[in-house]
Amino acid sequence: MKDNVKNQQARAVLKRRIISFPNDGELRVESIIREFEDYAMIDCKQYDKVVLQFITASVYPLKERELCQLVSFFANKFHKAEYTWETGTDEKLGEKLLVQLLCSSFSHL
């Protein structure tokens, strides 16, 4: 396992934080998708590894339906990438949802 890590070097690494700021009547997941499409400026085809972190306040937890929507959306965007996801809490978020993306592209030396 260590040999595989030693023989890889990241060609590109990208980190983005997307916080939901819903428009009137917009759900927080819809806000994340809109903000990703409008502002993230990511060439999704370039990355082969993606870590997704979905963070909410514990009093406004991520619902299963929201998780499914987000995982499906990002899986379609990064369709060639191996990805993992995790959830977390940050009480400062209130009703908002934070999505952190860590994207990387590796080449074998």
Side-chain angles (χ1 to χ4, degrees):
M1 184 74 165
K2 289 183 180 180
D3 289 336
N4 289 341
V5 173
K6 286 182 183 178
N7 292 330
Q8 293 183 357
Q9 181 177 12
R11 290 183 292 157
V13 176
L14 173 86
K15 184 176 182 181
R16 286 285 189 277
R17 293 170 49 95
I18 305 168
I19 299 176
S20 64
F21 289 101
N23 291 331
D24 290 337
E26 187 178 47
L27 301 174
R28 62 186 184 173
V29 170
E30 294 169 339
S31 172
I32 291 291
I33 292 170
R34 175 182 49 77
E35 291 174 28
F36 179 87
E37 296 284 3
D38 291 349
Y39 304 112
M41 297 188 297
I42 298 174
D43 180 7
C44 300
K45 299 179 299 273
Q46 174 179 334
Y47 300 100
D48 54 21
K49 295 194 186 296
V50 177
V51 176
L52 299 163
Q53 296 177 323
F54 305 118
I55 303 167
T56 60
S58 60
V59 293
Y60 298 101
L62 190 65
K63 298 175 183 165
E64 185 177 348
R65 175 180 41 82
E66 293 176 313
L67 178 61
C68 290
Q69 287 176 292
L70 290 167
V71 169
S72 177
F73 173 76
F74 286 108
N76 285 328
K77 286 294 178 184
F78 295 96
H79 65 277
K80 293 183 179 180
E82 173 185 324
Y83 69 94
T84 58
W85 58 267
E86 56 191 44
T87 60
T89 57
D90 181 346
E91 300 310 324
K92 296 176 188 171
L93 287 171
E95 294 183 26
K96 292 185 172 51
L97 166 64
L98 167 63
V99 176
Q100 294 189 131
L101 293 159
L102 180 60
C103 310
S104 59
S105 178
F106 286 88
S107 63
H108 294 285
L109 297 176

Tab-separated table of all heavy atoms in Angstrom, residues 17-23 26-36 55-56 66 70 93-99:
chain	number	residue	atom	x	y	z
A	17	ARG	N	-15.573	25.453	-0.865
A	17	ARG	CA	-16.592	25.475	0.184
A	17	ARG	C	-17.820	26.139	-0.408
A	17	ARG	O	-17.730	27.260	-0.907
A	17	ARG	CB	-16.107	26.286	1.385
A	17	ARG	CG	-14.946	25.657	2.125
A	17	ARG	CD	-14.344	26.593	3.156
A	17	ARG	NE	-15.321	27.220	4.039
A	17	ARG	CZ	-15.663	26.743	5.249
A	17	ARG	NH1	-15.083	25.656	5.698
A	17	ARG	NH2	-16.535	27.378	5.993
A	18	ILE	N	-18.943	25.459	-0.332
A	18	ILE	CA	-20.194	26.000	-0.860
A	18	ILE	C	-21.203	26.016	0.288
A	18	ILE	O	-21.528	24.972	0.854
A	18	ILE	CB	-20.733	25.144	-2.019
A	18	ILE	CG1	-19.670	25.002	-3.110
A	18	ILE	CG2	-22.020	25.751	-2.577
A	18	ILE	CD1	-19.995	23.958	-4.153
A	19	ILE	N	-21.674	27.214	0.630
A	19	ILE	CA	-22.656	27.367	1.706
A	19	ILE	C	-23.986	27.740	1.087
A	19	ILE	O	-24.056	28.585	0.189
A	19	ILE	CB	-22.216	28.453	2.712
A	19	ILE	CG1	-20.878	28.062	3.345
A	19	ILE	CG2	-23.275	28.660	3.779
A	19	ILE	CD1	-20.307	29.097	4.281
A	20	SER	N	-25.039	27.093	1.558
A	20	SER	CA	-26.368	27.370	1.007
A	20	SER	C	-26.846	28.754	1.440
A	20	SER	O	-26.820	29.093	2.619
A	20	SER	CB	-27.372	26.300	1.450
A	20	SER	OG	-27.540	26.321	2.852
A	21	PHE	N	-27.238	29.548	0.466
A	21	PHE	CA	-27.913	30.818	0.682
A	21	PHE	C	-29.159	30.792	-0.193
A	21	PHE	O	-29.168	31.347	-1.296
A	21	PHE	CB	-27.010	32.010	0.321
A	21	PHE	CG	-25.881	32.218	1.285
A	21	PHE	CD1	-24.601	31.801	0.979
A	21	PHE	CD2	-26.110	32.834	2.515
A	21	PHE	CE1	-23.556	31.998	1.879
A	21	PHE	CE2	-25.071	33.031	3.421
A	21	PHE	CZ	-23.796	32.615	3.098
A	22	PRO	N	-30.206	30.099	0.276
A	22	PRO	CA	-31.395	29.896	-0.569
A	22	PRO	C	-32.092	31.201	-0.957
A	22	PRO	O	-32.203	32.130	-0.157
A	22	PRO	CB	-32.317	29.051	0.312
A	22	PRO	CG	-31.438	28.457	1.348
A	22	PRO	CD	-30.325	29.444	1.558
A	23	ASN	N	-32.541	31.257	-2.211
A	23	ASN	CA	-33.429	32.313	-2.668
A	23	ASN	C	-34.809	32.031	-2.091
A	23	ASN	O	-35.049	30.955	-1.542
A	23	ASN	CB	-33.482	32.344	-4.196
A	23	ASN	CG	-32.162	32.801	-4.804
A	23	ASN	OD1	-31.421	33.563	-4.204
A	23	ASN	ND2	-31.879	32.321	-6.004
A	26	GLU	N	-36.555	28.500	-2.120
A	26	GLU	CA	-35.572	27.515	-2.564
A	26	GLU	C	-35.110	26.684	-1.368
A	26	GLU	O	-34.853	27.204	-0.291
A	26	GLU	CB	-34.386	28.253	-3.196
A	26	GLU	CG	-33.354	27.375	-3.847
A	26	GLU	CD	-32.249	28.189	-4.497
A	26	GLU	OE1	-31.717	29.119	-3.859
A	26	GLU	OE2	-31.908	27.881	-5.653
A	27	LEU	N	-35.011	25.383	-1.554
A	27	LEU	CA	-34.492	24.491	-0.520
A	27	LEU	C	-32.969	24.610	-0.451
A	27	LEU	O	-32.322	25.002	-1.422
A	27	LEU	CB	-34.893	23.051	-0.813
A	27	LEU	CG	-36.401	22.782	-0.892
A	27	LEU	CD1	-36.656	21.352	-1.343
A	27	LEU	CD2	-37.062	23.062	0.444
A	28	ARG	N	-32.390	24.238	0.671
A	28	ARG	CA	-30.938	24.409	0.818
A	28	ARG	C	-30.146	23.540	-0.144
A	28	ARG	O	-29.077	23.943	-0.607
A	28	ARG	CB	-30.498	24.217	2.260
A	28	ARG	CG	-30.750	22.872	2.868
A	28	ARG	CD	-30.397	22.875	4.340
A	28	ARG	NE	-30.562	21.545	4.910
A	28	ARG	CZ	-30.196	21.230	6.129
A	28	ARG	NH1	-29.661	22.130	6.923
A	28	ARG	NH2	-30.368	20.007	6.578
A	29	VAL	N	-30.648	22.355	-0.491
A	29	VAL	CA	-29.948	21.522	-1.480
A	29	VAL	C	-30.009	22.173	-2.859
A	29	VAL	O	-29.019	22.191	-3.594
A	29	VAL	CB	-30.527	20.089	-1.520
A	29	VAL	CG1	-29.977	19.305	-2.695
A	29	VAL	CG2	-30.212	19.370	-0.218
A	30	GLU	N	-31.165	22.724	-3.208
A	30	GLU	CA	-31.295	23.434	-4.483
A	30	GLU	C	-30.332	24.617	-4.535
A	30	GLU	O	-29.729	24.903	-5.585
A	30	GLU	CB	-32.728	23.917	-4.673
A	30	GLU	CG	-33.725	22.796	-4.828
A	30	GLU	CD	-35.170	23.256	-4.747
A	30	GLU	OE1	-35.444	24.339	-4.191
A	30	GLU	OE2	-36.038	22.511	-5.241
A	31	SER	N	-30.160	25.280	-3.407
A	31	SER	CA	-29.229	26.399	-3.325
A	31	SER	C	-27.792	25.939	-3.561
A	31	SER	O	-27.038	26.583	-4.299
A	31	SER	CB	-29.353	27.068	-1.953
A	31	SER	OG	-28.359	28.037	-1.774
A	32	ILE	N	-27.409	24.832	-2.949
A	32	ILE	CA	-26.053	24.288	-3.144
A	32	ILE	C	-25.827	23.958	-4.614
A	32	ILE	O	-24.782	24.307	-5.192
A	32	ILE	CB	-25.834	23.031	-2.270
A	32	ILE	CG1	-25.781	23.398	-0.784
A	32	ILE	CG2	-24.583	22.258	-2.705
A	32	ILE	CD1	-24.560	24.193	-0.357
A	33	ILE	N	-26.788	23.296	-5.237
A	33	ILE	CA	-26.655	22.928	-6.653
A	33	ILE	C	-26.548	24.175	-7.521
A	33	ILE	O	-25.686	24.261	-8.403
A	33	ILE	CB	-27.824	22.013	-7.085
A	33	ILE	CG1	-27.685	20.658	-6.379
A	33	ILE	CG2	-27.870	21.866	-8.603
A	33	ILE	CD1	-28.875	19.744	-6.526
A	34	ARG	N	-27.393	25.157	-7.281
A	34	ARG	CA	-27.353	26.407	-8.060
A	34	ARG	C	-26.006	27.108	-7.880
A	34	ARG	O	-25.382	27.526	-8.863
A	34	ARG	CB	-28.489	27.342	-7.629
A	34	ARG	CG	-28.458	28.712	-8.299
A	34	ARG	CD	-29.568	29.626	-7.809
A	34	ARG	NE	-29.709	29.703	-6.368
A	34	ARG	CZ	-28.910	30.418	-5.566
A	34	ARG	NH1	-27.891	31.092	-6.059
A	34	ARG	NH2	-29.122	30.449	-4.251
A	35	GLU	N	-25.557	27.198	-6.650
A	35	GLU	CA	-24.293	27.884	-6.398
A	35	GLU	C	-23.108	27.125	-6.992
A	35	GLU	O	-22.157	27.735	-7.495
A	35	GLU	CB	-24.121	28.125	-4.898
A	35	GLU	CG	-25.126	29.151	-4.394
A	35	GLU	CD	-25.117	29.352	-2.896
A	35	GLU	OE1	-24.058	29.137	-2.277
A	35	GLU	OE2	-26.168	29.727	-2.351
A	36	PHE	N	-23.157	25.798	-6.973
A	36	PHE	CA	-22.099	25.010	-7.616
A	36	PHE	C	-22.090	25.291	-9.116
A	36	PHE	O	-21.036	25.552	-9.696
A	36	PHE	CB	-22.305	23.510	-7.360
A	36	PHE	CG	-21.258	22.653	-8.011
A	36	PHE	CD1	-20.068	22.376	-7.353
A	36	PHE	CD2	-21.449	22.141	-9.283
A	36	PHE	CE1	-19.087	21.600	-7.959
A	36	PHE	CE2	-20.477	21.356	-9.893
A	36	PHE	CZ	-19.295	21.092	-9.235
A	55	ILE	N	-21.948	19.348	5.868
A	55	ILE	CA	-21.905	19.816	7.253
A	55	ILE	C	-23.143	20.652	7.555
A	55	ILE	O	-23.508	21.546	6.771
A	55	ILE	CB	-20.621	20.632	7.492
A	55	ILE	CG1	-19.404	19.754	7.143
A	55	ILE	CG2	-20.553	21.140	8.918
A	55	ILE	CD1	-18.114	20.491	7.022
A	56	THR	N	-23.778	20.356	8.683
A	56	THR	CA	-24.962	21.078	9.140
A	56	THR	C	-24.873	21.277	10.648
A	56	THR	O	-24.060	20.641	11.314
A	56	THR	CB	-26.256	20.283	8.846
A	56	THR	OG1	-26.186	19.026	9.519
A	56	THR	CG2	-26.468	20.061	7.358
A	66	GLU	N	-32.040	14.766	1.346
A	66	GLU	CA	-31.037	15.749	0.950
A	66	GLU	C	-29.711	15.071	0.619
A	66	GLU	O	-29.065	15.402	-0.379
A	66	GLU	CB	-30.819	16.765	2.073
A	66	GLU	CG	-31.993	17.669	2.348
A	66	GLU	CD	-31.759	18.581	3.526
A	66	GLU	OE1	-31.287	18.095	4.587
A	66	GLU	OE2	-32.029	19.789	3.391
A	70	LEU	N	-27.747	15.189	-2.987
A	70	LEU	CA	-26.388	15.708	-3.111
A	70	LEU	C	-25.417	14.664	-3.651
A	70	LEU	O	-24.617	14.954	-4.543
A	70	LEU	CB	-25.904	16.234	-1.757
A	70	LEU	CG	-26.573	17.507	-1.271
A	70	LEU	CD1	-26.261	17.753	0.196
A	70	LEU	CD2	-26.140	18.697	-2.117
A	93	LEU	N	-23.609	27.116	11.709
A	93	LEU	CA	-24.298	27.157	10.417
A	93	LEU	C	-25.793	27.466	10.533
A	93	LEU	O	-26.396	27.891	9.556
A	93	LEU	CB	-24.115	25.824	9.673
A	93	LEU	CG	-22.728	25.590	9.110
A	93	LEU	CD1	-22.606	24.166	8.590
A	93	LEU	CD2	-22.427	26.591	8.008
A	94	GLY	N	-26.387	27.230	11.680
A	94	GLY	CA	-27.832	27.441	11.793
A	94	GLY	C	-28.573	26.533	10.820
A	94	GLY	O	-28.317	25.337	10.768
A	95	GLU	N	-29.452	27.108	10.014
A	95	GLU	CA	-30.235	26.325	9.050
A	95	GLU	C	-29.467	26.033	7.765
A	95	GLU	O	-29.948	25.285	6.920
A	95	GLU	CB	-31.528	27.066	8.698
A	95	GLU	CG	-32.490	27.191	9.846
A	95	GLU	CD	-33.790	27.861	9.437
A	95	GLU	OE1	-34.171	27.798	8.252
A	95	GLU	OE2	-34.439	28.443	10.317
A	96	LYS	N	-28.305	26.630	7.606
A	96	LYS	CA	-27.549	26.485	6.355
A	96	LYS	C	-26.873	25.107	6.250
A	96	LYS	O	-26.704	24.400	7.222
A	96	LYS	CB	-26.511	27.584	6.241
A	96	LYS	CG	-27.133	28.951	6.045
A	96	LYS	CD	-26.078	29.983	5.820
A	96	LYS	CE	-26.627	31.320	5.442
A	96	LYS	NZ	-27.651	31.849	6.301
A	97	LEU	N	-26.481	24.800	5.041
A	97	LEU	CA	-25.762	23.575	4.710
A	97	LEU	C	-24.434	23.985	4.081
A	97	LEU	O	-24.391	24.875	3.240
A	97	LEU	CB	-26.585	22.751	3.715
A	97	LEU	CG	-25.914	21.599	2.977
A	97	LEU	CD1	-25.472	20.515	3.944
A	97	LEU	CD2	-26.865	21.027	1.946
A	98	LEU	N	-23.361	23.370	4.522
A	98	LEU	CA	-22.032	23.612	3.963
A	98	LEU	C	-21.576	22.340	3.275
A	98	LEU	O	-21.637	21.253	3.851
A	98	LEU	CB	-21.040	23.981	5.077
A	98	LEU	CG	-19.552	23.973	4.729
A	98	LEU	CD1	-19.227	25.003	3.653
A	98	LEU	CD2	-18.716	24.205	5.971
A	99	VAL	N	-21.134	22.483	2.033
A	99	VAL	CA	-20.531	21.370	1.300
A	99	VAL	C	-19.080	21.749	1.036
A	99	VAL	O	-18.798	22.805	0.472
A	99	VAL	CB	-21.256	21.088	-0.036
A	99	VAL	CG1	-20.535	19.994	-0.812
A	99	VAL	CG2	-22.704	20.700	0.216
